Amino acid sequence: MSEPAITENLIADHGLKPNEYQRILDLLGREPSFTELGIFSAMWNEHCSYKSSKCWLRTLPTTGPQVICGPGENAGVIDIGDGQACIFKMESHNHPSFIEPYQGAATGVGGILRDVFTMGARPVAALNALRFGSPDHPKTKSIVRGVVAGIGGYGNCFGVPMVGGEVEFHSAYDGNPLVNAMAVGLADADKIFYSAASGIGMPIVYLGAKTGRDGVGGATMASDEFGADAEDKRPTVQVGDPFTEKRLLEATLELMASGAVISIQDMGAAGLTCSAVEMGDKGDLGVILDLEKVPTREAHMSAYEMMLSESQERMLMVLRPEKEDEARAIFEKWDLDFAVVGETIAEDRFIVRLNGETKADLPLKALSGEAPEYDRPWVPTPAPTPLNDVPEVAVDEALLRLMGSPDLASRRWVWEQYDHMVMADTVQRPGGDAAVVRIHGTNKALAMTADVTPRYCVADPVEGGRQAVAEAYRNLCAVGARPLAATDNLNFGNPEKPEIMGQLVGCIEGIGAACAALDMPIVSGNVSLYNETEGQAILPTPTIGGVGLLDDIDTMLTMGFKSGGEAILLLGRMEGWLGRSLYLREMHGQEAGMAPPVDLEAERAAGELVQQLAKEGALTAAHDVGDGGIGVALAEMALAGDIGCTVRSPGGRDDATFFGEDQGRYLVTVLSESVEQMFTVAEAAGVPAVWIGETGGEAVEIAGKAVPLTKLRNAHEGWFPAYMGDAV
């Protein structure tokens, strides 16, 4: 089969700029072959090279005594004591999920699970952060249906509990939904597997499912904006098989236990190309691949197709030669392909052959080390116009409408389609501040969450970045966990636009400051850029996944009220910040004003106080105050416990007091006789504390306005099923 001529249009179709192609010519001293062009496009696209973000990502804090392995591997690794490690990461599958929602979301789950078990961990939990267009947009409902079904279909079959996440709607995502998938696993701290190849003449082994034509060019597609031809990109979306992935997990862990593995790499974005190059680059070795040995499920595949295919459930390994027969037997037992497809060499070359014909002969180091790196022009986000006068709405009317609004309504319709109890270690299910999963066979547990508030980020990227980390930190503290580390998924528009690049720079600055102040280093992550359709960018959405540790699961906090007659205390300030609040948007149709400021010192003081009180058993319930402010937090606690409350007005505007979104706050309940002691402890910690009411009754009564729990529950639980109609 003859290869096409290299033309300007072909170069552009591969996502390479003229200056980047000239760099290739300078490196090679000749024109690349068609296969070589594909390899360069795969390695030098935004999705794989981080060429627009790398210089800013280096500013993030990534180390600490708890960090075993930071960014650069398949996933981050942290020490959780007792010889155990937690391995976790978050990644995006945004573009594929718009083109083909079910498979896009499903393969996003599959890919992030492989990132975790490639390092020797058994996945114990998965989360997802989903953002869809306006509920009124004609495509939104079908995308929601497909994405949720894809996540459940893959995760449920694989057998990992889907324990948490978030779902939001906004017109900025009409043409570009976001699907961010996170996975968490456990391993012995002295049995972590890395991707750097070592040893000359070592066999390179292909593991897992066969290679097909699905997903060819997927990474390049994910590094481009969408236009009117988005549907034409459907062939670039991968097709997943969760049962094969389950077998791949078991075979891989068994293989690792055999001592056969020198290094191992998931075949994710850019498939065979990226995995082979990364293994060689990290080990300072060259690689030879003989593609006729690659197991394929379609006839007459070209070298180009095999190198750029993103078929799922595949891995690449450098094997100890004396263990080949034992390793092959393991994979054959699990009915998976096992093929020696190449070897490591001393020379800095990446040589790809097919039936004896050399299809690519490239300097391997240059494929990653010489990838373009841009310090793109950027401009700071201008301060938004101040809020105009905001008419006051009665507290009971506002509370009922907010609890039944798209962004605050119960997500039960979503998470009931996921198996969140498989493996029998899920202790706190979806719907709380953070999920909690027992570390099997112990009384310890991991807490995990994913969070960001894009409406804050678009108003002030620095403050929004700080708040995303602070919110994740609060979610973990609110269940009594000690936050340990974070992963990020930075979703933005076109970085070639200075205003978009400014959003990215600002958010990274805020994230870095918060991670340093709260001792939550970033240990892994992903950057997803060019999230635009026909020039319309998404809101800046730097999702933060946080992981924390409960040393004793018996100290875990939940948010539901436990009994009547208990005191409700607010830890933190009550200032009534309405800028960018959901109250402002839902009640007045405004997305205006400044984002609420984040005091990182106050965040840490309040979080550590809640952790301390949890360990002492001093609290009966706790809940982070986030979207919708105190009023919504109270209603959520009441519905979770099926117990009402009565809360006084401190004076001033009740709507601002109860629906303002001031940061760094928790609602907690204590026995009435413990209130004075709580004030003393809070004062010693430097955390403001105020009694605001007590639990009891069958309504949420705020400032003299009561809403019955039955009415609140109907509004809160009713929106999603009513919106989706017969899609249950």
Side-chain angles (χ1 to χ4, degrees), residues 292-428:
E292 68 275 6
K293 298 175 182 177
V294 170
T296 58
R297 64 170 182 262
E298 299 181 51
H300 310 301
M301 288 188 69
S302 68
Y304 177 95
E305 290 170 330
M306 281 191 270
M307 292 306 295
L308 270 68
S309 168
E310 293 184 10
S311 295
Q312 297 293 285
E313 295 88 40
R314 303 180 301 159
M315 292 179 155
L316 205 62
M317 173 185 72
V318 177
L319 173 74
R320 299 189 191 281
E322 69 277 12
K323 293 276 190 176
E324 181 179 335
D325 290 343
E326 182 180 354
R328 185 185 301 276
I330 290 170
F331 269 73
E332 288 179 351
K333 180 183 75 172
W334 288 99
D335 195 22
L336 293 165
D337 280 295
F338 178 103
V340 178
V341 298
E343 66 175 341
T344 58
I345 58 176
E347 297 78 21
D348 176 28
R349 307 303 301 169
F350 185 46
I351 299 171
V352 177
R353 301 184 298 219
L354 179 59
N355 297 321
E357 182 182 349
T358 298
K359 295 293 186 177
D361 186 351
L362 302 170
L364 187 144
K365 281 285 187 186
L367 285 169
S368 56
E370 294 293 330
E373 184 174 325
Y374 298 119
D375 185 359
R376 296 197 184 276
W378 61 278
V379 294
T381 299
T385 54
L387 278 181
N388 296 321
D389 290 336
V390 179
E392 187 167 0
V393 177
V395 172
D396 54 344
E397 177 188 348
L399 180 61
L400 197 58
R401 281 180 56 185
L402 284 170
M403 289 296 286
S405 65
D407 276 4
L408 288 173
S410 168
R411 271 58 184 134
R412 184 183 301 275
W413 182 90
V414 174
W415 57 258
E416 282 192 342
Q417 297 185 55
Y418 306 152
D419 187 340
H420 46 272
M421 296 303 294
V422 64
M423 301 175 73
D425 280 317
T426 304
V427 181
Q428 193 156 163

Side-chain angles (χ1 to χ4, degrees), residues 559-562 636-643 713:
M559 71 180 188
F561 292 148
K562 302 302 184 294
E636 290 171 340
M637 296 177 83
L639 291 177
D642 201 25
I643 296 170
R713 193 177 302 282

Side-chain angles (χ1 to χ4, degrees), residues 129-217:
L130 311 177
R131 282 183 167 76
F132 301 109
S134 167
D136 298 329
H137 191 274
K139 285 190 175 182
T140 297
K141 193 179 297 186
S142 65
I143 293 175
V144 171
R145 181 182 294 119
V147 165
V148 172
I151 290 170
Y154 204 101
N156 294 352
C157 184
F158 178 85
V160 63
M162 288 283 171
V163 296
E166 55 178 352
V167 181
E168 288 190 354
F169 298 86
H170 193 282
S171 60
Y173 306 100
D174 282 350
N176 206 126
L178 301 185
V179 175
N180 293 173
M182 178 176 169
V184 181
L186 287 170
D188 292 339
D190 60 350
K191 294 176 183 173
I192 309 299
F193 288 82
Y194 299 99
S195 58
S198 64
I200 297 168
M202 295 293 109
I204 295 174
V205 181
Y206 174 111
L207 306 169
K210 297 184 190 303
T211 294
R213 291 187 172 94
D214 57 314
V216 172

Side-chain angles (χ1 to χ4, degrees), residues 22-245:
Q22 184 59 51
R23 182 182 291 206
I24 293 171
L25 294 177
D26 294 342
L27 278 169
L28 299 183
R30 59 175 173 82
E31 183 179 85
S33 69
F34 180 53
T35 300
E36 289 173 334
L37 181 71
I39 290 171
F40 270 108
S41 79
M43 292 303 301
W44 284 15
N45 64 51
E46 196 73 60
H47 195 74
C48 294
S49 74
Y50 297 92
K51 57 190 175 186
S52 296
S53 56
K54 194 180 294 182
C55 65
W56 297 102
L57 296 176
R58 293 190 186 104
T59 67
L60 292 171
T62 59
T63 59
Q66 70 274 46
V67 178
I68 295 173
C69 176
E73 277 292 339
N74 287 292
V77 187
I78 56 173
D79 189 340
I80 56 171
D82 301 314
Q84 291 183 302
C86 174
I87 300 178
F88 66 102
K89 189 183 182 184
M90 184 187 296
E91 279 207 345
S92 61
H93 239 221
N94 304 334
H95 285 57
S97 298
F98 177 62
I99 299 167
E100 175 35 76
Y102 185 97
Q103 290 296 347
T107 53
V109 173
I112 199 64
L113 290 169
R114 285 195 306 281
D115 280 339
V116 165
F117 71 74
T118 301
M119 298 198 68
R122 180 172 291 278
V124 296
L127 303 91
N128 50 81
L130 311 177
R131 282 183 167 76
F132 301 109
S134 167
D136 298 329
H137 191 274
K139 285 190 175 182
T140 297
K141 193 179 297 186
S142 65
I143 293 175
V144 171
R145 181 182 294 119
V147 165
V148 172
I151 290 170
Y154 204 101
N156 294 352
C157 184
F158 178 85
V160 63
M162 288 283 171
V163 296
E166 55 178 352
V167 181
E168 288 190 354
F169 298 86
H170 193 282
S171 60
Y173 306 100
D174 282 350
N176 206 126
L178 301 185
V179 175
N180 293 173
M182 178 176 169
V184 181
L186 287 170
D188 292 339
D190 60 350
K191 294 176 183 173
I192 309 299
F193 288 82
Y194 299 99
S195 58
S198 64
I200 297 168
M202 295 293 109
I204 295 174
V205 181
Y206 174 111
L207 306 169
K210 297 184 190 303
T211 294
R213 291 187 172 94
D214 57 314
V216 172
T220 300
M221 175 271 291
S223 304
D224 197 7
E225 296 179 44
F226 282 144
D229 63 344
E231 289 296 316
D232 297 339
K233 299 179 185 288
R234 190 176 299 271
T236 62
V237 177
Q238 309 92 328
V239 177
D241 180 351
F243 183 63
T244 297
E245 177 117 332

